[in-house]
Amino acid sequence: MRRTALTALIAAGVAAAGVTTSTQVFAYGAGDLYTRVGVAKIAPKSDNGDINTLGMTGLGVDVDDESGFAFTLGYRFHDRMGLELLAAWPFEHDISIADGAVNGTTKHLPPTLTLQYYPLGGTPARVQPYVGAGINYTHFSDEEVNVPGASLELEDSWGAAGQLGIDVLIDEHWAMNAAAWYIDIDADTNVAGADAGTVEIDPMVVMAGISYRF
C-alpha cells in the first residue's frame, strides 16, 4: 500500500509537469507564507509488533488505516528552503491484538515539523516539487479495549520524519498539492498499569488537497 501511494504521488507530479507548461510567471520563493489543506490517509505498517501482558507473550498488534482532515502551515525563508508544520484533527485507529482476541481504539495527534528543500524555488516553474526531513511528536488519547476492567495506554512518541511533495501552481495564490510523509512512531504500551512492550506504528501519511499562499 505504501509503495502504491508513493508511486501514485510521483506519477501525479510527472503528469502535472507535462500539462502545466506556461509562460506566465508566479512569484514562488523567499517570504512565502502558506497553508495546505486536504484529506490525509494514515497507513501504519502491516506488522506493528508484539506486546506481553497477563502472563502471555508475543501477542501480535495490528493498527488499522484511518483517513481525515489535515492541514499544514509553512514559511519559505529562502527561495529553495522552508519550514512546514503538519497538523490535523485527532485520528482514531482501530487496534487488534492477538488476531482479534482483543480489540480496541486510540486517538492520536501527529504534529510534524520538517525542513524543506525546493529544487525549483525561485524559478518560473509552475510545478514545484519538494522534499523534507524533520521530527514528529505523537500524542495518544482515549485508548479503549473491549475487555471489562482492562486498560490500555499508549505513551507519547518522538521520532524522525521524511517528506516528499509537489505543488502545481494555478495562480498567484492557489495551487494543487499532494504530499507524503514517512513517520517513525514507536509507542511504549501499558496494559492494566504494567509495561507491555512497544507498538511500532511507523505510518505512511498521504495527503491530497489545495495550497494557498498569503
Side-chain angles (χ1 to χ4, degrees), residues 19-148:
V19 300
T20 57
T21 303
S22 172
T23 58
Q24 187 173 2
V25 177
F26 300 122
Y28 190 96
D32 284 350
L33 177 66
Y34 63 89
T35 182
R36 293 171 173 140
V37 179
V39 175
K41 181 172 184 176
I42 296 186
K45 71 175 189 175
S46 58
D47 180 4
N48 305 121
D50 298 326
I51 62 173
N52 309 309
T53 184
L54 303 176
M56 296 175 286
T57 61
L59 301 178
V61 179
D62 290 303
V63 182
D64 286 349
D65 298 356
E66 183 57 37
S67 298
F69 170 78
F71 63 95
T72 73
L73 294 172
Y75 178 74
R76 276 183 284 274
F77 56 84
H78 183 276
D79 280 348
R80 300 193 178 187
M81 300 294 293
L83 287 170
E84 183 178 59
L85 177 66
L86 168 67
W89 297 126
F91 291 92
E92 181 171 344
H93 292 269
D94 292 330
I95 300 174
S96 174
I97 302 172
D99 293 325
V102 176
N103 293 296
T105 60
T106 185
K107 293 181 180 178
H108 83 281
L109 285 170
T112 303
L113 182 67
T114 53
L115 175 66
Q116 300 171 317
Y117 173 67
Y118 294 80
L120 301 181
T123 76
R126 293 185 64 175
V127 177
Q128 293 281 347
Y130 56 91
V131 295
I135 190 168
N136 164 265
Y137 170 73
T138 298
H139 172 68
F140 295 94
S141 63
D142 299 332
E143 297 95 326
E144 296 181 358
V145 289
N146 65 341
V147 178

